Amino acid sequence: LGLMSYLTAGTKESRAWTIKKGTKAPQAAGKIHSDIERGFIKAEVTAYKDVVDCGSYTACRDKGVTRMEGKDYVVQDGDIVHFRFAN
């Protein structure tokens, strides 16, 4: 079907979002809410495998494994993404 999933995680909820393969970060953000797509600034991206290897999302950020990606980033299957956006 050409679909894949990316993940969002927070203190209240973690969720998988289904998107088409080849979707860029702003359009993936739009699956959550259209305001996030409109105000997209950057995507903070960590691969799921890296979170498992480091032990936690916070450890990935501390070790510099998490990276900032722009509007042209194509979201990969299993990415954990924190979208930065302007209201």
Side-chain angles (χ1 to χ4, degrees):
L1 296 174
L3 301 174
M4 55 171 259
S5 296
Y6 74 92
L7 309 163
T8 56
T11 56
K12 295 181 181 181
E13 176 185 44
S14 295
R15 180 163 176 193
W17 301 87
T18 303
I19 56 174
K20 291 182 180 183
K21 288 182 181 177
T23 301
K24 292 186 179 181
Q27 289 73 41
K31 282 294 273 191
I32 299 170
H33 198 284
S34 60
D35 287 346
I36 300 173
E37 181 176 0
R38 265 194 305 278
F40 180 88
I41 298 171
K42 296 256 182 208
E44 191 174 308
V45 181
T46 309
Y48 176 78
K49 183 186 179 315
D50 291 336
V51 173
V52 172
D53 291 346
C54 291
S56 72
Y57 181 75
T58 304
C60 286
R61 290 182 76 188
D62 293 344
K63 291 181 180 181
V65 175
T66 299
R67 62 194 187 281
M68 298 300 282
E69 298 287 352
K71 293 180 179 183
D72 291 331
Y73 178 71
V74 176
V75 178
Q76 302 299 307
D77 193 35
D79 278 351
I80 299 171
V81 185
H82 173 83
F83 293 106
R84 296 181 183 233
F85 65 99
N87 292 337

